[in-house]
Every structure is written in structure tokens, then in C-alpha cells.
Amino acid sequence: MTLAADHLAQLDAFVIDLNRASAAAILPLFRAEHGLEDKGAGKNLPRDSHAAFDPVTQADRGAEAAIRQLIAERYPEHGVIGEEYGEDRPDAEFVWVLDPIDGTRAFISGLPLWTTLIGLRHQGRPVLGSIGQPYTGEIFIGSAAGSRLLLRGSEQAIRVRECPSLTDAIIATTDPDACFDGAERGAWLQVRAAAKLARLGCDAYAYAMVALGKMDMVIEAGLKSWDIEAAIPLIEGAGGIVTDWRGQPIGQDGGQMAIAGDRRCLDEALVALRRSAK
């Protein structure tokens, strides 16, 4: 069943409320004492494993708790999937998918590249999503109705840009040494060699830059659902594409991901990415 436009508009407004509640929980702890813990401690993982150091802070937990509380008050029948507090009714008609701080490593380093990811599934399909950066005051939000940027009281429609060739592309990934296995790293290096410019360490903020028309492609692997689902409606609403490394739609389990603003650029990258697709 298609989500009615008036219902989508109500949920869209609620996403803005959720971003504000999350920001209120996070900002007092940014560049302050944030109660860092290492979820990877005691797991006996190799030091070069991406999961060996797995930081979480009071800001992560407090923001997700604040978001969940508002959802429970406004939409008690909705389900929630979050990085910090797990699943609650994941098979409900509407399910919120949350990453309170995507980029905790940036957060604890004092870098304003972390974001809050809030996505909504309707009948299993991502229909609404936002990427919020409260320190800069940005909320990127998108759905089938389009995508826009809210910034300190102003609002503007946003759109991906044309990029007909990978040689013209600005691309990004978070950390190719930590996030890719050997074959995946080789695929990334092949794409990077062809691209005009590559940036590292931006986490989901790079997704927003593709939607804004400032970057052209983001390539990641090892993602969880909460790492990507909020970005799908935002990117698609801005005219972009989100696929796995085979060029197929992303499922509900995350994994390998490519975001692009222009299908022609993506198709060139997929020549390399398909060889390492899982």
C-alpha cells in the first residue's frame, strides 16, 4: 500500500522533531566529557580489525534513548531498530531505523563529520530518511516527495549533480584499510585510481554531500541496516542511486554499498566493484 502524501508529510515533520531531540542529547557532550567506552574490548580481535576498537559514548546512548522515547509517545505501534538498543517490533508496518551517532570515531576526535541517521520503513521499504549534523545546524531529509536541506531556519531543495564519467568524480569512503577486506580494497583502489579526487573519513556526511550535489559517489562495505537505510530515501529523493556492489537494491541487512548521483558514473565503478561483490 502506498503511503499517503498527507501521512508522509506528518512523518516528515516528526523526523525534524526527532533530530532536534537527538541534537539536544548530543551537543552538550561534543568536545566535552562524553563517557567513552570500547565495545570491542575483551573480544580478542586482531588490532588491525575494524571492530577491535568499537567506541560508544553517553551521547550515542542518550540520543537513541531520546529518539525512542518520542517515537513511543507519538507512534506506540511503530517498531524500532537501533544500533545501541536493538530491535523492538521489527516486523511492524512502520519501523524506525536509527544510528544516533554515525561516525563515533569522528565524534570523539572533535571532528564535526558525525551525523544522526533516522530512517523509516513502511511495509519493509525505506520511505523517509534524514541525515542530521546538529553542530553545523544541518538536517538533510528526503523521500519520494523530494529532498531538501534545513539550515538554521532556511530550507532549500537539493539535487545530485551530473557526472558522466568516473574520471570527473569526487568519491569517498570511510577507511579503506579498516573497512575493506583484501579483495574489496583492491576494488576500491581501482575505482580511486580512475576518479578525480577521493576523500576519506567522512562517514555518512559524505552521503549527504552526494545528495547536495557536492560529491559524486560513496563506496562502503560491512554496513549494518542503521548505517544506510536513512540515506536511501534522501539520495533517491535527490535523484541519485543506492545499490550494492552488484548494482542491485540494498536489502535490509546492509553489507556492501555504492551511492552515486549519476548512473553513468556508477556503472563505470561497478565494473571493478562486481569482482568483489558478496
Side-chain angles (χ1 to χ4, degrees):
M1 182 175 64
T2 303
L3 189 59
D6 59 343
H7 193 183
L8 179 60
Q10 292 172 5
L11 292 164
D12 182 290
F14 183 56
V15 167
I16 297 171
D17 292 340
L18 295 179
N19 273 276
R20 289 171 177 159
S22 175
I26 295 172
L27 284 177
L29 301 178
F30 182 50
R31 297 179 179 171
E33 178 51 52
H34 44 59
L36 174 65
E37 297 178 26
D38 181 6
K39 292 188 288 187
K43 292 184 179 179
N44 296 318
L45 296 170
R47 288 187 60 84
D48 60 352
S49 168
H50 179 55
F53 175 57
D54 189 7
V56 64
T57 70
Q58 293 173 7
D60 296 79
R61 291 172 174 152
E64 185 170 323
I67 294 170
R68 283 175 176 264
Q69 180 178 346
L70 279 185
I71 293 170
E73 291 172 356
R74 184 81 62 87
Y75 298 108
E77 73 279 9
H78 287 195
V80 181
I81 298 172
E83 180 175 13
E84 304 306 330
Y85 295 110
E87 298 184 351
D88 177 20
R89 286 167 292 176
D91 298 322
E93 180 182 3
F94 290 93
V95 179
W96 297 89
V97 184
L98 313 173
D99 190 347
I101 299 181
D102 181 89
T104 302
R105 290 169 176 80
F107 181 86
I108 65 175
S109 302
L111 300 171
L113 293 173
W114 52 274
T115 55
T116 296
L117 305 184
I118 302 173
L120 178 64
R121 294 178 189 169
H122 178 232
Q123 297 179 341
R125 184 174 62 90
V127 295
L128 178 63
S130 72
I131 298 177
Q133 212 316 313
Y135 189 74
T136 60
E138 297 167 305
I139 302 175
F140 301 85
I141 187 167
S143 68
S147 296
R148 65 196 196 283
L149 166 61
L150 283 64
L151 177 61
R152 299 188 181 94
S154 68
E155 184 172 321
Q156 69 177 86
I158 58 176
R159 189 80 183 168
V160 299
R161 66 184 180 188
E162 291 188 4
C163 183
S165 172
L166 187 55
T167 57
D168 299 321
I170 298 175
I171 68 173
T173 194
T174 298
D175 185 342
D177 293 328
C179 300
F180 296 148
D181 65 22
E184 291 170 337
R185 191 178 303 112
W188 158 257
L189 289 174
Q190 185 174 344
V191 175
R192 179 174 182 171
K196 179 169 67 177
L197 176 66
R199 307 307 299 157
L200 306 180
C202 299
D203 294 286
Y205 196 72
Y207 309 168
M209 292 302 99
V210 173
L212 189 61
K214 301 302 179 184
M215 300 182 76
D216 302 294
M217 185 180 300
V218 183
I219 297 168
E220 301 283 10
L223 301 182
K224 304 297 184 183
S225 59
W226 50 76
D227 295 316
I228 183 57
E229 288 203 28
I232 295 173
L234 173 67
I235 297 296
E236 293 179 348
I241 313 106
V242 183
T243 74
D244 64 17
W245 284 20
R246 290 187 173 88
Q248 299 301 310
I250 293 282
Q252 293 186 353
D253 298 323
Q256 297 170 322
M257 177 278 295
I259 283 174
D262 193 312
R263 169 64 71 175
R264 295 167 293 180
C265 183
L266 174 63
D267 286 344
E268 288 187 32
L270 286 172
V271 173
L273 298 178
R274 283 192 179 100
R275 298 191 185 107
S276 302
K278 297 178 180 177

